[in-house]
Amino acid sequence: MDTPIIDFLENYNASGTLRCHMPAHKGKVVFGFDLSDDITEISGADSLFEAEGIIAQSERNMSSLYGTAATVYSAGGSTLCIQAMLAIMKREGRRVFAARNAHRAFLNAAALLDLEVDWLMPEYSSSLLSGEVSAAAAAAALSGCRGEKCCIYLTSPDYTGKTADIAAIAEVCREYDARLIVDNAHGAHLAYMPENMHPTALGADMCCDSAHKMLPALTGAAMLHTAREEYVPMLKPAMGLFGSTSPSYLIMASLDYCNKYISERIRGDIAAGIEQISLLRSRFSGRLLFTDGDPFHITVRASESGISGIRLAELIRENGCECEYSDSDLAVLLMSPVNTAADYSQLSDALEKSLRGVELIPREAEPFPLPLPESAMSVREAVFAQSETISVDEAVGRICGAVEVPCPPAIPIAVSGEVISRECVNIFKRYGISEVNVVK
């Protein structure tokens, strides 16, 4: 597959042209970094939000690989894509039903767009990170719309790799003429698994992929896909509402490279990775419990295995591996198709060394009660209200202000505008959160 953005940058660098344009580093080596590929919208370089040339050509390549009506690039991560998807829903006047385990980027977009959100509470297992919204729950929500235009917003895969039943929920949405939009930030590779599990292939109307999470792209590289022809002309204007007018060409070039990687290597790399992950899981069978879902999210159910996830992460770190996320219950070891057999061997050995001499005392998963808190004001009102930061011990009965939960995993416990309950405070403490922003 051709790489029009990379080809343009190579030709421009080879031309010897004096850069009388931004950026100010002029493509020189700065602090040891070669910045020659970092350019701006010069002649022939195209412009992301008005793309007609090399960027548009590269986006068409990506769209053909994913089989979408259109795919467009984001240099602002999936955050920008989420903002754009919700802006389109706002333009259509759709009521938004969202699974509660949404990323805080969703909440921020709701505040900016002044969206009222109806929450779908997942059936949590033992962690805030992972919960399931069933097709029956989606149908129950949509059946009460009484002729309103609606949409369902899901996060799938979630932070642990668990995937929703996109196909079943998409069928429900079609029945009610609702739209299904998916935060697929952790699933850019799913289209190339042995069975295509990408949301757009399963019936989603729009979804975002963070290419940098699961493909060999720079941080901030993402794509916005749509399966609906009528949304194609809406994508760029919606992204332009929020995106920088100076998008990074380095990021866009990395997306261009991903097209080549996908077309030439990804299926073989995925097959090899799945085999290595299966061997790793088999090696620790009987000692460690793992969650089901996307195999590249190697999520250890640490507390159920007999060790704190935080402690396991510390031990792994001491043995030369850094995990994606850990808490008292879980440790998430995030791999990708790019990882090699040597990588998996190193991880497997690190786990073996980490468990050596450790007494594992398994415990049953604790129930995770999180009733939907009472709402006292809209998300937008709470986010822009005067606020203060207080101890969580003092927060019961106060209205949650702007959500400031750390990333990862950036999943809200109390949402802006909700009255913080005792259950919320208990969960704050469970995740080591000692302070919360509240409305004055």
Side-chain angles (χ1 to χ4, degrees), residues 302-307 358-363:
S303 61
E304 293 177 66
S305 302
I307 183 173
V358 174
E359 183 182 6
L360 298 176
I361 306 175
R363 66 175 176 83

Side-chain angles (χ1 to χ4, degrees), residues 284 287-290 298-303 305-323 325-333 347 350-356 358 360:
F284 294 97
R287 287 185 286 172
L288 295 178
L289 298 172
F290 300 92
I298 305 175
T299 300
V300 181
R301 289 152 51 194
S303 61
S305 302
I307 183 173
S308 160
I310 294 171
R311 180 59 180 151
L312 181 60
E314 290 172 349
L315 292 170
I316 294 171
R317 186 178 301 115
E318 291 170 5
N319 287 292
C321 296
E322 185 66 40
C323 72
Y325 171 83
S326 65
D327 59 34
S328 60
D329 299 306
L330 303 173
V332 181
L333 304 162
L347 174 58
L351 282 167
E352 190 66 61
K353 292 175 184 176
S354 298
L355 296 177
R356 193 171 296 157
V358 174
L360 298 176

Side-chain angles (χ1 to χ4, degrees), residues 81 84-89 92 152 179-184 199-200 203-208 224-228 231 234-235:
C81 302
M85 290 191 294
L86 291 176
I88 293 170
M89 296 298 96
E92 292 191 336
I152 299 285
R179 300 291 179 260
L180 176 59
I181 57 179
V182 180
D183 174 358
N184 185 58
T200 54
D205 296 290
M206 286 190 288
C207 81
C208 61
L224 174 55
H225 308 278
T226 185
R228 300 187 74 91
Y231 287 161
M234 301 182 191
L235 301 182

Side-chain angles (χ1 to χ4, degrees), residues 42 47 57 149 304 309 360 367 380 410 431 437:
I42 58 175
S47 177
Q57 182 181 344
K149 293 181 178 179
E304 293 177 66
L360 298 176
R380 181 182 179 87
Y431 286 93
N437 182 269

Side-chain angles (χ1 to χ4, degrees), residues 29-158:
V29 175
V30 180
F31 298 119
F33 294 99
D34 181 359
L35 300 177
S36 58
D37 286 341
D38 187 30
I39 63 168
T40 190
E41 291 84 354
I42 58 175
S43 176
D46 211 359
S47 177
L48 179 57
F49 297 130
E50 301 81 26
E52 297 178 339
I54 58 173
I55 296 173
Q57 182 181 344
S58 184
E59 290 174 329
R60 286 193 295 270
N61 288 345
M62 188 72 81
S63 178
S64 69
L65 290 168
Y66 280 88
T68 61
T71 295
V72 296
Y73 290 166
S74 165
S78 281
T79 294
L80 177 57
C81 302
I82 291 166
Q83 291 167 334
M85 290 191 294
L86 291 176
I88 293 170
M89 296 298 96
K90 170 87 172 183
R91 182 175 296 168
E92 292 191 336
R94 291 188 180 275
R95 182 176 173 184
V96 179
F97 291 90
R100 181 70 173 204
N101 60 338
H103 192 278
R104 75 182 188 201
F106 169 85
L107 275 186
N108 292 339
L112 291 171
L113 291 163
D114 195 16
L115 288 175
E116 294 291 339
V117 181
D118 292 282
W119 293 108
L120 300 176
M121 296 302 287
E123 296 176 14
Y124 290 108
S125 50
S126 60
S127 169
L128 180 71
L129 274 65
S130 186
E132 183 177 359
V133 173
S134 66
L142 295 176
S143 65
C145 282
R146 299 176 183 174
E148 291 180 88
K149 293 181 178 179
C150 297
C151 71
I152 299 285
Y153 178 96
L154 300 177
T155 301
S156 177
D158 63 26

Side-chain angles (χ1 to χ4, degrees), residues 66 156-157 183-191 197-199 208-210 213-214 294 297:
Y66 280 88
S156 177
D183 174 358
N184 185 58
H186 280 254
H189 63 304
L190 294 180
M197 298 297 292
H198 195 263
C208 61
D209 298 351
S210 284
K213 286 183 170 65
M214 300 305 297
D294 169 50
H297 290 71

